[in-house]
Amino acid sequence: DIQMTQSPSSLSASVGDRVTITCQASEDISNYLNWYQHKAGKAPKLLIHDASNLETGVPSRFSGSGSGTDFTFTISSLQPEDNATYYCQQFDNLPLTFGGGTQVEIK
Amino acid sequence: QLQLQASGPGLVKPSETLSLTCTVSGGSISSRSYYWGWIRQPPGKGLECIGSIYYSGSTYYNPSLKSRVTISVDTSKNQFSLKLSSVTAADTAVYYCARLYYHDSSVYRAGWFDPWGQGTLVTVSS
């Protein structure tokens, strides 16, 4: 299985801050990577697919980049509603696998 | 708007079989473009893909669970189901169902879950 390593596992930032999360794959996965947002008690939501393609309706403050083994997810200006856990997920190989998650807390 | 809702017993005894059903509304489970998947998240741990099914009945199971998992589909009810046998405490988790957009060809690749159901907690305990 392809292992996905996210860091940090948690962070605390203020409204308006720029937040960056990294995801590293255990092997080259090209750009076959997605990002999800998971708010407590709710269904996870797809934000970005193919490393950098924003889903329709997702605010432009969210962005993704990277290819190969190293990927970055950025919130350019953190908002109160962004309080959530964020996961990366690869689809280069089955089984589809997720990173361990990054919990983003608003200070 | 497509919605998914997982349902089933919240408590299962060790060694028994966990059974969950996902009801799809606002769209057809028989769509040729999508698969339907199960994902779980044990308390304090990450997300794990359990497996998926196509409307025709074709399945994929995570090798780590393959010997214990059965996923089936009932197109007449717009539902798909999960059975996990011989459960232990390690199978305690929130179980999610989701639509899977998956393609694997030489010219196009895709593989993401969207949308997801809200999840249902299943506890394995005597």
Side-chain angles (χ1 to χ4, degrees):
Chain A
D1 298 4
I2 296 177
Q3 305 302 315
M4 306 300 295
T5 304
Q6 267 182 256
S7 62
S9 57
S10 65
L11 65 88
S12 182
S14 300
V15 172
D17 282 354
R18 183 180 184 89
V19 167
T20 298
I21 298 168
T22 64
C23 180
Q24 186 170 59
S26 60
E27 60 187 77
D28 188 337
I29 59 169
S30 185
N31 67 328
Y32 301 140
L33 184 103
N34 309 314
W35 290 96
Y36 299 86
Q37 177 190 63
H38 189 194
K39 296 183 179 180
K42 298 204 170 183
K45 177 184 176 183
L46 176 69
L47 297 181
I48 290 171
H49 64 86
D50 294 289
S52 61
N53 290 341
L54 210 62
E55 276 290 285
T56 302
V58 173
S60 59
R61 64 179 180 275
F62 296 102
S63 65
S65 64
S67 67
T69 60
D70 296 304
F71 301 85
T72 300
F73 174 82
T74 299
I75 307 173
S76 61
S77 178
L78 191 66
Q79 299 300 305
E81 61 266 31
D82 300 337
N83 187 47
T85 301
Y86 294 86
Y87 294 92
C88 59
Q89 174 243 316
Q90 67 79 23
F91 58 94
D92 182 59
N93 249 327
L94 295 175
L96 306 179
T97 50
F98 292 85
T102 297
Q103 187 172 4
V104 174
E105 178 192 84
I106 312 297
K107 279 183 186 173
Chain B
Q1 181 183 355
L2 191 81
Q3 292 186 313
L4 297 92
Q5 179 66 53
S7 60
L11 181 64
V12 181
K13 290 182 168 54
S15 80
E16 295 190 344
T17 296
L18 177 161
S19 295
L20 295 173
T21 296
C22 183
T23 300
V24 178
S25 59
S28 175
I29 203 169
S30 299
S31 169
R32 285 175 166 77
S33 301
Y34 299 102
Y35 293 76
W36 305 90
W38 289 98
I39 308 102
R40 70 178 183 178
Q41 184 172 32
K45 296 189 176 182
L47 295 160
E48 178 183 36
C49 292
I50 300 170
S52 60
I53 191 164
Y54 195 53
Y55 79 96
S56 63
S58 173
T59 55
Y60 170 82
Y61 301 139
N62 189 322
S64 68
L65 296 167
K66 188 173 183 177
S67 63
R68 299 193 293 129
V69 172
T70 302
I71 298 176
S72 58
V73 64
D74 186 336
T75 56
S76 68
K77 295 182 179 179
N78 230 32
Q79 295 176 334
F80 62 107
S81 298
L82 168 70
K83 291 188 186 299
L84 181 65
S85 64
S86 305
V87 297
T88 69
D91 295 310
T92 293
V94 176
Y95 286 76
Y96 298 94
C97 56
R99 185 178 67 178
L100 172 61
Y101 184 59
Y102 184 79
H103 285 268
D104 184 6
S105 73
S106 57
V107 295
Y108 183 62
R109 301 281 288 279
W112 48 85
F113 296 100
D114 178 54
W116 298 53
Q118 201 156 345
T120 185
L121 174 63
V122 179
T123 301
V124 178
S125 174
S126 55

